[in-house]
Amino acid sequence: MFYICTTCGVQYDSSFQHPKKCVICNDERQYVNPNGQSWTTLEELKDSSYRNIFSQAEEGLYSIKTSPTFAIGQTAYLLQGTEVNILWDCISYLDEETIEYIKSLGGIHAIALSHPHYYSTQVEWAEAFNVPLYIHRDDKQWVMRDSEHIVFWEGSMLKISQDITLYRLGGHFKGGAVLHWGNEDGVLLTGDIVQVVADQHWASFMYSYPNLIPLPASKVSEMVEQLKPLHFDRLYNAFHRSVKEDANRAVQRSAERYIKALDGSLLNI
Ligand SMILES: [Zn+2]
Ligand SMILES: [Zn+2]
């Protein structure tokens, strides 16, 4: 059986009995469910009332989310590039209806992941579409189900096609990646490597979101410095929040505010 952790939604390598504990949830960036560790399987999920909901975020970009919410509840994105279609990040629930709908949108040619919290059933998706699965090598230790579909990329960037490039920013996870799409009028998909906050003109950067552990100022500076030369107007996180215009500038000023908050100069306390 390929067991899935019900708290983070990550699927493990085949075993007769479920794993003793979830490695992802026992890391301090996640948490073990206060009611205890529990497991399910994709087959069990298919026998429940789950389905995937598609919504168009903008032309060529669709979010895919499971309803009712399962595990962390993130959204994946289907991106229709000029040369290839990409699935950005992943969700645990996958059924025939989802596969058929994605095929009707032109299918996918590759899957790329921002970081381990969204690995979910990524291998099931890669097998269903027979496509490569791009994961940064720095996060290899967090892959809980091996597959020949996985391509571990290295370094600070990977150009997938003429208009789609992955950048390794690190921060939340060492191999934490974002996807840049387009040229002048570009889009940045960030998972939660760069997080859109409640005021959607701003972003934030954390080591742990559920446990509220910040990143050091030096790391945040390094991350946004890498983004500075890129052109992107809109930025989408993994929870249907987006910066709708002038997104690169919003990221830069958010980093300045964050660093001032850390050194105390922002706050009247
Ligand atoms: Zn877990
Ligand atoms: Zn995360």
Side-chain angles (χ1 to χ4, degrees):
M1 299 268 253
F2 294 99
Y3 285 99
I4 296 172
C5 168
T6 59
T7 307
C8 70
V10 169
Q11 187 186 49
Y12 281 68
D13 265 328
S14 181
S15 58
F16 287 113
Q17 288 204 319
H18 62 69
K20 284 205 169 56
K21 60 176 194 173
C22 174
V23 178
I24 305 278
C25 287
N26 277 273
D27 175 59
E28 63 192 356
R29 281 164 284 197
Q30 249 288 105
Y31 57 93
V32 177
N33 188 320
N35 300 319
Q37 175 71 53
S38 70
W39 303 91
T40 186
T41 62
L42 188 53
E43 291 65 36
E44 218 171 77
L45 294 178
K46 284 182 187 172
D47 288 338
S48 313
S49 58
Y50 292 107
R51 62 187 298 256
N52 286 334
I53 311 289
F54 288 70
S55 42
Q56 190 167 17
E58 61 176 85
E59 198 183 333
L61 187 66
Y62 296 82
S63 72
I64 315 170
K65 189 185 179 319
T66 302
S67 176
T69 296
F70 175 71
I72 295 174
Q74 76 272 14
T75 186
Y77 282 98
L78 170 66
L79 189 167
Q80 297 168 315
T82 52
E83 296 170 338
V84 296
N85 290 357
I86 301 284
L87 183 77
W88 170 247
D89 278 329
C90 205
I91 53 177
S92 304
Y93 187 65
L94 177 64
D95 59 12
E96 272 310 310
E97 196 186 324
T98 305
I99 294 169
E100 288 312 311
Y101 192 69
I102 288 176
K103 283 182 180 166
S104 78
L105 294 170
I108 51 174
H109 304 94
I111 304 173
L113 270 295
S114 65
H115 75 295
H117 289 151
Y118 305 149
Y119 286 177
S120 60
T121 59
Q122 56 184 9
V123 172
E124 301 277 352
W125 288 71
E127 285 178 355
F129 293 97
N130 192 25
V131 294
L133 183 53
Y134 292 105
I135 289 178
H136 198 279
R137 186 172 291 280
D138 285 348
D139 287 342
K140 188 170 192 253
Q141 70 178 108
W142 301 104
V143 171
M144 296 298 139
R145 182 178 172 189
D146 280 335
S147 166
E148 58 192 14
H149 289 273
I150 299 178
V151 178
F152 290 108
W153 62 283
E154 295 177 34
S156 59
M157 62 176 279
L158 175 73
K159 199 168 175 66
I160 291 186
S161 66
Q162 182 265 324
D163 60 340
I164 299 169
T165 307
L166 306 180
Y167 292 90
R168 195 282 304 269
L169 303 186
H172 181 44
F173 270 83
K174 200 173 175 203
V178 297
L179 182 152
H180 183 260
W181 172 39
N183 299 314
E184 286 304 303
D185 180 31
V187 165
L188 196 73
L189 304 179
T190 62
D192 52 13
I193 302 307
V194 178
Q195 186 64 277
V196 183
V197 293
D199 177 346
Q200 296 184 30
H201 300 91
W202 295 86
S204 193
F205 320 82
M206 298 288 266
Y207 179 70
S208 171
Y209 292 96
N211 301 323
L212 303 176
I213 308 172
L215 284 169
S218 58
K219 184 64 220 176
V220 173
S221 297
E222 203 183 297
M223 291 167 76
V224 300
E225 206 45 50
Q226 219 188 321
L227 292 176
K228 212 175 239 172
L230 305 185
H231 293 278
F232 59 93
D233 189 48
R234 281 98 59 214
L235 182 155
Y236 295 87
N237 79 348
F239 295 93
H240 294 106
R241 277 185 184 171
S242 61
V243 180
K244 291 188 174 56
E245 56 182 10
D246 214 2
N248 200 342
R249 209 189 316 242
V251 169
Q252 301 299 329
R253 74 165 178 263
S254 299
E256 284 166 27
R257 181 175 78 168
Y258 189 94
I259 291 164
K260 279 187 185 168
L262 288 180
D263 72 21
S265 64
L266 177 77
L267 313 170
N268 185 20
I269 49 174

